[in-house]
């Protein structure tokens, strides 16, 4: 049973374009939604996160859009650069005080020069 | 300020053997979580330690066990290794009550 579904599995975007990755969740108890970026041979790095009390959060070229009623959230990468080429994971956790993350399966992004 | 560190970087073991992986949390963090990441998959939660006790556990068998030391560092032990245990093992640290988890570089375990 996959609690966080992520799409697409892979994505190719031209330099300067917008990369969009989508996630959907099932557990309505989830209330913290981070995105992680992972380069080959490295651990995941926290990129940006959102809580369901806001519909959008922006940090530099990265934006999370959140739709609580649809139980969906997405990552937008504006002005995508070749250095953004990596695997991106969405995740979710509950505010149980223990904060254990449930991850999507990942999206491999390639930004072509 | 040192981030999360893990050792060793790579490890090759034979089926049936036992392995111990180590993790030092980010400075100021007191909670350590372990995740298993199979090739091409997202990390899966194994267990979490706080105040030297396991307080949350994912869907992993008892062959997976852990420990947290008074300095907040942690170990992951896997007994009776199976070929399917081959994966990247990630340690993440956080401050109790905070949602933000920071990952180490991982230990790549290969079971032959």
């Amino acid at each position: 049973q996959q609690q966080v579904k992520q799409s697409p599995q892979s994505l190719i975007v031209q330099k300067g374009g917008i990369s969009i990755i989508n996630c959907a969740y099932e557990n309505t108890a989830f209330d913290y939604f981070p995105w992680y970026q992972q380069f080959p041979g490295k651990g995941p790095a926290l990129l940006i996160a959102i809580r369901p009390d806001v519909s959008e959060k922006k940090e530099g070229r990265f934006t999370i859009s959140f739709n609580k009623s649809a139980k969906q959230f997405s990552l937008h990468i504006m002005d995508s650069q070749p250095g953004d080429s990596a695997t991106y994971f969405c995740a979710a956790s509950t505010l149980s005080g223990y904060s254990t993350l449930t991850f999507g399966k990942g999206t491999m992004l390639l930004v072509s020069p | 300020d040192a981030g999360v560190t893990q050792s060793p970087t790579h490890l090759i073991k034979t089926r049936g053997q036992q392995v111990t992986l180590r993790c030092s949390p980010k400075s100021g963090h007191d909670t350590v979580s372990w995740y298993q990441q199979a090739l091409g998959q997202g990390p899966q939660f194994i267990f979490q330690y706080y105040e030297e006790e396991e307080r949350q556990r994912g869907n992993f068998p008892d062959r997976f066990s852990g420990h947290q030391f008074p300095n907040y560092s942690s170990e992951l032990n896997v007994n009776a290794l199976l070929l399917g245990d081959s994966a990247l093992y990630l340690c993440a640290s956080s401050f109790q009550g905070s949602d933000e988890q920071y990952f180490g570089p991982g230990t790549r375990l290969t079971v032959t």
Side-chain angles (χ1 to χ4, degrees):
Chain A
Q1 180 187 0
Q2 186 186 352
Q3 294 196 56
V4 179
K5 294 184 179 179
Q6 184 171 347
S7 62
Q9 190 172 354
S10 62
L11 182 62
I12 300 175
V13 173
Q14 285 199 332
K15 179 182 176 181
I18 302 174
S19 304
I20 302 175
I21 304 170
N22 301 298
C23 282
Y25 63 96
E26 300 165 2
N27 186 350
T28 55
F30 286 147
D31 51 17
Y32 172 72
F33 303 89
W35 285 89
Y36 284 83
Q37 178 190 58
Q38 186 175 30
F39 293 103
K42 305 291 185 182
L46 181 60
L47 201 56
I48 187 173
I50 198 169
R51 297 190 188 282
D53 54 345
V54 296
S55 59
E56 186 175 281
K57 183 174 181 179
K58 184 176 181 179
E59 290 184 2
R61 296 185 293 108
F62 300 91
T63 300
I64 299 179
S65 297
F66 186 82
N67 186 329
K68 187 174 181 178
S69 61
K71 294 187 286 185
Q72 295 176 347
F73 59 110
S74 60
L75 176 69
H76 291 65
I77 305 174
M78 312 300 288
D79 187 26
S80 298
Q81 299 297 313
D84 296 331
S85 298
T87 300
Y88 293 81
F89 293 95
C90 62
S93 71
T94 61
L95 261 181
S96 65
Y98 298 148
S99 186
T100 62
L101 294 168
T102 299
F103 283 85
K105 290 191 173 183
T107 296
M108 193 176 302
L109 171 65
L110 176 63
V111 181
S112 59
Chain B
D1 179 20
V4 180
T5 59
Q6 292 186 243
S7 63
T9 306
H10 295 90
L11 206 51
I12 300 174
K13 289 287 188 178
T14 303
R15 190 171 45 185
Q17 286 188 317
Q18 177 263 344
V19 68
T20 298
L21 311 181
R22 295 175 176 82
C23 170
S24 291
K26 185 178 169 68
S27 178
H29 286 181
D30 55 10
T31 302
V32 172
S33 302
W34 287 92
Y35 293 80
Q36 180 195 66
Q37 185 176 23
L39 201 61
Q41 300 294 316
Q44 278 198 295
F45 173 72
I46 302 175
F47 42 53
Q48 184 180 88
Y49 277 85
Y50 172 66
E51 292 189 332
E52 302 179 50
E53 289 189 359
E54 179 186 298
R55 63 177 187 178
Q56 283 277 74
R57 189 178 184 91
N59 188 24
F60 279 81
D62 292 344
R63 298 187 297 108
F64 290 77
S65 63
H67 188 77
Q68 185 179 34
F69 299 94
N71 67 352
Y72 307 121
S73 67
S74 177
E75 287 182 350
L76 164 66
N77 301 291
V78 187
N79 294 322
L81 285 166
L82 303 175
L83 296 179
D85 294 332
S86 295
L88 180 68
Y89 288 85
L90 296 162
C91 168
S93 75
S94 58
F95 183 71
Q96 197 276 333
S98 169
D99 291 300
E100 294 185 353
Q101 293 191 32
Y102 295 87
F103 284 83
T107 294
R108 171 70 64 186
L109 172 65
T110 301
V111 182
T112 62

